[in-house]
Amino acid sequence: MCLDMLRHKKKVLLLLLLMATGSIIYYLYTLKLERERDANVSSTTSRLEREISELQAVFESEVIPDLGALGRPARGNWTQEELEAMATSQRETGYNAWLSKRISPERTLYDMRHRSCKKLEYSLEKLPSVSVVITYHNEEASVLLRTLSSLRNRTPILLLREIILVDDGSSSVDEKLNDFIQIKFLNMVRQHRIATQVGLMQARVAGAQLALADVLVFLDSHVEVTKGWLEPLLDPILKNNRTCTTPIIDTIDYENFSYRRGKPSRGFFNWEFNYIQLPLLKEEAVAMPAPHKNPIMNGGLFAIGRQWFSELGGYDKGLKIWGGEQFELSLKLWLCGGQILEVPCSRIGHRYRDGKFQIHYTDKDKKKENKIIAKNYRRVAEVWLDEFKDKIFANMPHLTVLSVGNLAEQRELKKRLHCKPFKWFLDNLAKDFLNLYPIIDPAEYASGVLQSVSSPKLCLDRNESRHEHPKLSPCSSDHVFPRAEQHWILSNRRELRSGLYCLEVRNQGKDVRIFQCHGQSGNQFWSYDSKTRQVIAGQMSNFRQCLEAQPKTNSVTASVCDPKKSSQQWKFGYQNNQRLSHFWDNVKTQ
Ligand code: UDP
Ligand code: MN
């Protein structure tokens, strides 16, 4: 019995000893693992740090601290060489890409929201989170990085589920940039590449299909969001899930990247499918900064429920590259049971390009790009404008000779969603539009040639070959119905137009150019004084200039008005004196 107990004790002791040794070995082993892991982590961290600093050197080493901070114009004492580099980059891209590289992607912006916007409070838990979809084709790295940084820095993290970055067939893949984006923005950005360019419409739809959040925010790749931009865009969608919201679009200057205030407005298109901005209705102006109805969105920046976007079928699949898609989506939204609200408390800056730079996306093939846009316009008119399409076709007859492709799917969708006719849109959203852009145009103020009084053999010519500066050329024999390049109309919009082109004044005067009519007065506003025979640029009475013939160079300038100078006198082929006598009725001149 005793011996038995003793043997048992021994066993227990042995067991305890074994257990203790086991624990010590296990402890030592975990200690070793931990050490190894620590070593690994620190080597990964240092690798990551190294990679970041290497990539930073590639993309951010030229940044000049504080340049363009608070959205101020990015100015510096540039050398001649630097100025030349800027000019070259601007010629090639339509904006100052050279300067963009020197402005920090994290630059600050002045908070220019309306006072009462700053006081609004939102409960973030109640607002839906968003997938931001950005598509781009050959976007400049520094511009894209600033877009992304502004999103990260000024969006509540709780609301930003992801940024989906769709590379729409850019001509080359920048692996380094892609890596930098992954590292810099960690898991915030999901990148997706479409190998062959499909155009912004289908690229956006592809991005939307990857999205996980309930609300989609579409943005161009060259924007900067400002403080508090997102919450007010989401609030109206929360209240009505068939609402699409748009921010006020501020302007980022294409030359010096200054951030300028944009105006609240109601978007629309004119009968030539130019996007135009109408003033707010009286009651809307009084209620500022409350959201107001926006008939047609500008196109690049908007928020919409993912489900609603998909019910609307995204964009028409027949629309290619760019152009007209903002009209299609806006009309579809309003006519098929939704609404678009502009939200003045939300502001996003958009960098436009120099107006001279027109061809972006089709390897500099202007004809090809124009044809694609024209076809897009034709599709939108055919599907959504009903009998009013003829008004567009009368102004743009070239649309009617294009093959428009298959519209069955669009017509089917229109039926399925019980969409209303375009007449409803005009009746409900466009009363003021019809006053400004009537369906039946009254007679023009004057038309035919514009003949110089000082050099009566010469007439103003839109200079078909270059479409930039007009010239003086020998007058057509028929002054009332001259050849197209000399046929000018002092139109009801008070512009001097020849076909789709208008005379405009650039660079604070001096420079007279031909540009597509934009229908927004401003630098395309012209009047004719039948007494002095002056052709006068400018609506406001304190800033007017007169068209002056320069027969030595066969050109024209906009010069200080002098009624005595016969070089500033012109004769129209036909003058409607009755209408001219009412030219200034209801026109603001102060
Ligand atoms: N874009 C695209 N694919 C194209 C054309 C444009 O993804 O084939 C992108 C472009 O990079 C930009 C957005 O679509 O981010 C809108 O184009 P853009 O800025 O030229 O339009 P705009 O602002 O001039 O109206
Ligand atoms: Mn854009």
Side-chain angles (χ1 to χ4, degrees):
M1 181 73 186
C2 218
L3 207 72
D4 237 21
M5 262 177 72
L6 206 68
R7 214 178 285 144
H8 189 67
K9 243 187 191 168
K10 250 188 188 166
K11 258 189 197 166
V12 172
L13 274 174
L14 201 68
L15 205 69
L16 281 173
L17 197 70
L18 269 174
M19 276 166 73
T21 335
S23 315
I24 290 167
I25 291 173
Y26 180 72
Y27 173 71
L28 288 175
Y29 179 67
T30 52
L31 210 64
K32 176 173 173 278
L33 274 188
E34 234 165 71
R35 286 228 176 105
E36 274 174 12
R37 202 170 50 218
D38 282 353
N40 267 342
V41 167
S42 76
S43 90
T44 327
T45 328
S46 63
R47 207 178 58 230
L48 211 64
E49 272 166 8
R50 219 174 28 237
E51 266 179 57
I52 291 182
S53 63
E54 268 171 30
L55 289 168
Q56 257 171 345
V58 176
F59 293 103
E60 293 177 358
S61 64
E62 280 158 309
V63 166
I64 301 172
D66 284 340
L67 186 66
L70 281 174
R72 293 202 186 104
R75 299 221 166 93
N77 292 324
W78 312 114
T79 62
Q80 194 53 35
E81 212 173 301
E82 289 171 329
L83 289 170
E84 274 160 26
M86 284 187 200
T88 309
S89 84
Q90 206 159 306
R91 245 193 333 271
E92 282 166 2
T93 58
Y95 64 94
N96 195 338
W98 187 93
L99 189 59
S100 174
K101 272 197 205 119
R102 273 119 191 120
I103 299 172
S104 166
E106 321 286 335
R107 77 150 165 180
T108 50
L109 292 176
Y110 179 74
D111 182 359
M112 51 174 71
R113 286 173 299 167
H114 190 284
R115 239 177 312 111
S116 58
C117 300
K118 298 181 191 170
K119 290 191 202 128
L120 293 176
E121 277 175 23
Y122 299 91
S123 121
L124 296 190
E125 294 76 30
K126 289 206 185 112
L127 293 177
S129 65
V130 302
S131 297
V132 174
V133 177
I134 297 174
T135 75
Y136 67 95
H137 178 81
N138 293 347
E139 188 59 274
E140 221 268 321
S142 68
V143 174
L144 191 56
L145 288 170
R146 198 152 39 249
T147 301
L148 295 174
S149 292
S150 83
L151 276 164
R152 183 188 50 194
N153 297 345
R154 303 194 189 99
T155 313
I157 199 74
L158 205 63
L159 297 181
L160 185 58
R161 169 101 192 227
E162 61 193 348
I163 299 172
I164 297 174
L165 201 53
V166 183
D167 172 355
D168 180 19
S170 295
S171 358
S172 62
V173 182
D174 188 341
E175 297 285 3
K176 277 210 167 105
L177 176 63
N178 289 348
D179 287 352
F180 190 42
I181 289 173
Q182 277 317 310
I183 296 175
K184 191 170 160 127
F185 300 97
L186 289 174
N187 45 12
M188 190 179 275
V189 178
R190 290 167 63 197
Q191 294 180 304
H192 175 67
R193 171 158 164 99
I194 300 173
T196 315
Q197 182 185 11
V198 291
L200 73 93
M201 307 81 172
Q202 293 325 308
R204 280 186 187 157
V205 170
Q209 277 162 355
L210 297 173
L212 299 169
D214 287 341
V215 171
L216 306 169
V217 174
F218 291 97
L219 296 179
D220 278 6
S221 44
H222 33 252
V223 302
E224 284 171 69
V225 299
T226 65
K227 194 170 175 197
W229 72 280
L230 181 58
E231 298 90 320
L233 284 184
L234 295 177
D235 199 44
I237 298 178
L238 190 67
K239 288 183 186 134
N240 170 353
N241 60 12
R242 295 193 162 189
T243 300
C244 164
T245 49
T246 54
I248 288 199
I249 303 178
D250 294 320
T251 296
I252 299 170
D253 190 278
Y254 60 83
E255 275 176 305
N256 63 27
F257 285 78
S258 67
Y259 192 101
R260 289 198 305 270
R261 197 185 291 273
K263 270 205 272 198
S265 67
R266 296 157 58 239
F268 221 93
F269 52 76
N270 64 13
W271 297 116
E272 280 155 14
F273 267 156
N274 293 125
Y275 171 79
I276 56 168
Q277 292 180 301
L278 301 173
L280 301 193
L281 301 176
K282 240 190 217 135
E283 62 272 22
E284 293 170 342
V286 171
M288 268 287 287
H292 56 260
K293 289 178 185 170
N294 189 5
I296 300 287
M297 68 167 86
N298 178 292
L301 328 171
F302 60 97
I304 187 169
R306 184 160 57 90
Q307 175 65 27
W308 180 220
F309 185 68
S310 126
E311 266 175 63
L312 289 171
Y315 289 103
D316 167 8
K317 292 189 188 62
L319 299 179
K320 300 280 168 355
I321 308 296
W322 72 273
E325 82 288 346
Q326 73 279 46
F327 306 146
E328 194 242 354
L329 187 60
S330 305
L331 291 170
K332 192 150 69 173
L333 263 154
W334 281 109
L335 296 176
C336 311
Q339 62 170 349
I340 308 173
L341 299 180
E342 182 176 85
V343 182
C345 282
S346 171
R347 315 191 72 109
I348 301 181
H350 174 265
R351 199 227 54 236
Y352 294 90
R353 285 180 211 251
D354 183 348
K356 275 183 287 183
F357 187 88
Q358 286 189 60
I359 302 308
H360 323 162
Y361 297 117
T362 43
D363 308 323
K364 306 218 183 304
D365 186 342
K366 185 173 172 165
K367 273 211 179 112
K368 186 171 157 195
E369 185 149 326
N370 283 343
K371 201 166 164 192
I372 291 170
I373 298 168
K375 187 170 166 186
N376 291 348
Y377 284 168
R378 168 103 193 265
R379 283 184 77 85
V380 178
E382 290 288 349
V383 176
W384 297 102
L385 296 193
D386 308 327
E387 69 273 27
F388 297 92
K389 69 182 181 192
D390 292 334
K391 177 74 186 160
I392 297 265
F393 294 156
N395 292 332
M396 308 171 89
H398 60 286
L399 300 195
T400 55
V401 294
L402 291 163
S403 88
V404 66
N406 189 342
L407 297 171
E409 204 178 309
Q410 298 312 301
R411 298 209 198 283
E412 175 53 35
L413 176 114
K414 216 174 150 176
K415 241 193 243 153
R416 191 171 68 243
L417 296 177
H418 306 291
C419 306
K420 298 190 238 345
F422 183 62
K423 177 86 170 57
W424 176 92
F425 184 81
L426 289 178
D427 289 345
N428 286 276
L429 292 156
K431 291 241 165 66
D432 57 333
F433 167 77
L434 286 176
N435 289 333
L436 288 166
Y437 297 84
I439 308 262
I440 296 169
D441 291 317
E444 316 284 1
Y445 292 104
S447 58
V449 292
L450 252 184
Q451 180 188 18
S452 162
V453 170
S454 58
S455 318
K457 290 210 170 84
L458 295 179
C459 283
L460 187 70
D461 188 306
R462 78 172 181 230
N463 199 359
E464 201 64 277
S465 58
R466 292 196 52 232
H467 269 329
E468 253 200 7
H469 294 277
K471 62 176 180 185
L472 292 174
S473 65
C475 295
S476 288
S477 52
D478 189 337
H479 285 199
V480 183
F481 297 107
R483 60 193 164 83
E485 299 80 58
Q486 287 191 0
H487 195 156
W488 295 94
I489 287 171
L490 184 57
S491 75
N492 291 300
R493 315 225 54 72
R494 298 176 178 82
E495 58 206 0
L496 256 180
R497 80 160 45 217
S498 176
L500 293 175
Y501 293 92
C502 278
L503 211 59
E504 70 176 38
V505 175
R506 291 258 187 100
N507 306 335
Q508 275 107 38
K510 287 261 167 266
D511 210 5
V512 177
R513 297 209 184 203
I514 300 285
F515 197 71
Q516 222 179 348
C517 302
H518 54 53
Q520 298 277 280
S521 296
N523 65 349
Q524 292 187 351
F525 185 104
W526 292 88
S527 60
Y528 182 64
D529 186 329
S530 44
K531 287 197 193 87
T532 61
R533 294 188 164 177
Q534 284 165 314
V535 172
I536 307 164
Q539 177 173 344
M540 298 304 158
S541 53
N542 59 353
F543 194 76
R544 292 203 182 137
Q545 289 174 306
C546 285
L547 189 70
E548 186 168 312
Q550 306 291 352
K552 276 195 197 131
T553 47
N554 279 338
S555 62
V556 288
T557 50
S559 312
V560 179
C561 291
D562 179 353
K564 285 191 240 71
K565 270 190 172 172
S566 63
S567 54
Q568 288 187 5
Q569 294 170 3
W570 301 87
K571 246 174 90 178
F572 269 106
Y574 166 75
Q575 223 170 283
N576 186 333
N577 291 323
Q578 155 67 14
R579 290 226 68 218
L580 274 171
S581 63
H582 293 283
F583 187 90
W584 294 101
D585 291 2
N586 302 320
V587 179
K588 231 173 96 180
T589 58
Q590 303 278 340

